[in-house]
Amino acid sequence: MTTEQRAFFELVKAGLWGTTADVSAFDIHTDWSRLYKYGKSQTLLGIMLDGIQTLPAELRPERGLYLRWCAFVLQIEERNKKLNREIDNLYKLLRADGVEPVLLKGQGAARNYRNPLHRQCGDIDIYIGKRNFERVNRLLEQDGQEALEVCVKHSAYNWHDVSVENHRILAQMEDPTADRHLQRNIASWHGTDKMVRWELDGCEIVVPPVEFDALFLLQHAVHHLFNLGIGFRQICDWACLLHHNREQLDRALAARELKALGLDRASRIFGALAVKYLGLDEADLPLPFDAKDEADCDWLFDEIWGSGNFGKFDARRTTRPKGYWRGKWHTFTSIVGRNRKLRRVAPAEVFWTPIMRIVNLVWAQSYLRFGNHKA
């Protein structure tokens, strides 16, 4: 790691686990503007600010940048509070119509953090299932909103100034055999007392069992890694879940499921990454890693560091051309090119990705053209 990268991860580790950042990583020459830029690209400014609080005053950023940093984190806090309120409103709307949504990722992942309000949030993802998919779409459209996106897995709405994704399919593997196993896993707990209930600002929320979340957050990160890229926030989400639930998680069960899904190699590489760079306790991992996994994690480090959150900061990315089909072809060829070098993470997923991209595009076009009765 460079000197600046070492300082970056000292702040992240201190923010994640409540430890004290190693002061030897900082001095009067520390480039705080660059660290701020890194934190923004990895969407970890809130976690880093918690780490900054552990430094002596003389090693902290200069006043102007520090105040700008604090102001940005206050915006993160306010956005999280708004999402929490809208989750409450969403649950009230759907439960009044007899629908019980399952909250995915997002605020559900934030509950595993030491300071949930400092996790930079995104949208609200709920799993409904295929039977109630159209019903919930109509409920979301009551406020006059039209769907921003419809794909094989979900529809997306701008609802009360937040993005809501209504999932008919919770998650999907590209490898058909692995996907069948994944769907059986979901069916085994969805709608049963295996679902976890917890309170979010006075609202009872339903989330998946922790063993499922342990593989789902990893699968979701791998999916985005293969498509556009990920930042270290996705690794932090997985690491915090493993650590926060270390007493409850059945690691043997999680390990079996990861192997059944073909994600055991990804689990070992991501695990090595979380231990080496984020300071996660190796005992929290569902699968141990070896020397080869450590070498692969260093390679993956460079990929994540260079791409940033969902690949938005990747200088290698080319501009998507205008036009629907030209844009689709650009995305398709970009993904195929990325996956050639990512096959070591999940080989079967890489093999099936281009095939399933075409299948899912056909589904979406059928849905948009003919409606649910044909799709």
Side-chain angles (χ1 to χ4, degrees):
M1 288 192 292
T2 66
T3 300
E4 289 165 345
Q5 286 172 335
R6 183 188 169 213
F8 173 88
F9 285 104
E10 280 299 319
L11 296 177
V12 171
K13 287 187 290 186
L16 286 176
W17 316 123
T19 55
T20 300
D22 184 351
V23 295
S24 69
F26 306 87
D27 57 31
I28 60 173
H29 302 295
T30 298
D31 191 339
W32 283 102
S33 294
R34 191 174 293 272
L35 288 176
Y36 182 88
K37 178 182 176 182
Y38 291 157
K40 196 167 186 179
S41 70
Q42 302 295 332
T43 55
L44 288 173
L45 285 174
I47 307 303
M48 292 173 70
L49 183 62
D50 290 337
I52 289 173
Q53 309 308 322
T54 70
L55 293 175
E58 64 272 16
L59 292 179
R60 296 181 185 183
E62 56 88 13
R63 179 177 171 79
L65 178 60
Y66 182 73
L67 292 176
R68 181 153 60 97
W69 204 316
C70 290
F72 190 89
V73 174
L74 283 174
Q75 292 176 14
I76 294 174
E77 292 179 356
E78 290 304 313
R79 184 65 178 174
N80 273 309
K81 291 174 183 177
K82 178 174 176 58
L83 280 184
N84 293 349
R85 291 194 299 270
E86 294 306 334
I87 288 171
D88 186 13
N89 291 332
L90 185 60
Y91 265 80
K92 287 176 180 175
L93 172 69
L94 300 190
R95 281 172 171 161
D97 208 64
V99 178
E100 184 77 344
V102 178
L103 186 69
L104 307 174
K105 305 173 295 178
Q107 304 308 89
R111 72 193 179 107
N112 299 309
Y113 279 72
R114 195 172 61 87
N115 189 343
L117 290 180
H118 281 189
R119 177 192 180 270
Q120 194 162 331
C121 54
D123 51 17
I124 299 173
D125 288 80
I126 53 171
Y127 174 53
I128 296 298
K130 296 178 181 179
R131 184 169 62 89
N132 288 319
F133 179 67
E134 290 291 340
R135 185 177 175 184
V136 171
N137 282 346
R138 302 292 83 81
L139 289 171
L140 292 172
E141 289 168 359
Q142 285 181 356
D143 290 339
Q145 303 296 331
E146 294 184 0
L148 301 175
E149 176 192 17
V150 176
C151 67
V152 68
K153 289 197 297 186
H154 65 255
S155 59
Y157 290 85
N158 183 6
W159 189 77
H160 298 182
D161 197 33
V162 300
S163 175
V164 175
E165 288 189 359
N166 170 30
H167 284 253
R168 63 187 290 273
I169 296 174
L170 192 157
Q172 197 172 40
M173 301 288 293
E174 308 294 4
D175 176 1
T177 301
D179 187 59
R180 285 192 291 273
H181 186 89
L182 177 64
Q183 302 314 319
R184 287 195 297 270
N185 182 312
I186 295 168
S188 73
W189 58 261
H190 183 230
T192 75
D193 58 6
K194 294 180 182 178
M195 298 190 302
V196 176
R197 296 179 179 273
W198 61 285
E199 188 174 293
L200 175 65
D201 292 350
C203 176
E204 185 183 68
I205 304 299
V206 178
V207 295
V210 64
E211 285 78 19
F212 177 80
D213 254 354
L215 63 92
F216 172 53
L217 290 182
L218 177 68
Q219 183 271 337
H220 183 70
V222 169
H223 170 77
H224 281 292
L225 175 68
F226 286 172
N227 282 269
L228 294 173
I230 58 173
F232 270 95
R233 188 193 67 178
Q234 281 73 40
I235 313 299
C236 289
D237 282 353
W238 190 58
C240 285
L241 177 134
L242 295 176
H243 181 74
H244 182 76
N245 298 281
R246 62 190 311 179
E247 302 299 329
Q248 295 80 29
L249 177 64
D250 185 336
R251 291 180 189 78
L253 174 59
R256 290 196 299 272
E257 288 298 301
L258 288 165
K259 290 175 182 177
L261 296 176
L263 292 174
D264 48 321
R265 187 179 300 181
S267 175
R268 296 196 307 269
I269 296 172
F270 276 60
L273 195 72
V275 169
K276 184 172 182 178
Y277 295 101
L278 298 181
L280 179 68
D281 188 337
E282 193 170 347
D284 292 343
L285 297 175
L287 286 166
F289 57 85
D290 57 24
K292 184 181 183 304
D293 300 320
E294 286 193 74
D296 284 337
C297 100
D298 289 335
W299 159 82
L300 184 58
F301 172 92
D302 291 335
E303 174 64 31
I304 296 174
W305 188 261
S307 60
N309 189 50
F310 295 132
K312 294 176 182 177
F313 299 86
D314 193 342
R316 300 164 298 181
R317 285 182 65 179
T318 55
T319 303
R320 179 185 170 112
K322 295 181 179 179
Y324 181 82
W325 291 109
R326 289 180 65 198
K328 288 291 185 183
W329 178 250
H330 174 268
T331 299
F332 179 81
T333 55
S334 298
I335 289 172
V336 170
R338 278 182 60 81
N339 286 359
R340 288 195 187 102
K341 62 180 180 178
L342 295 170
R343 65 170 62 93
R344 70 184 81 179
V345 177
E349 288 297 281
V350 168
F351 174 82
W352 283 100
T353 290
I355 300 169
M356 296 310 298
R357 294 286 298 194
I358 295 171
V359 170
N360 291 342
L361 177 62
V362 171
W363 183 95
Q365 291 303 308
S366 175
Y367 180 92
L368 292 171
R369 184 175 178 82
F370 301 110
N372 188 50
H373 64 288
K374 295 285 185 182

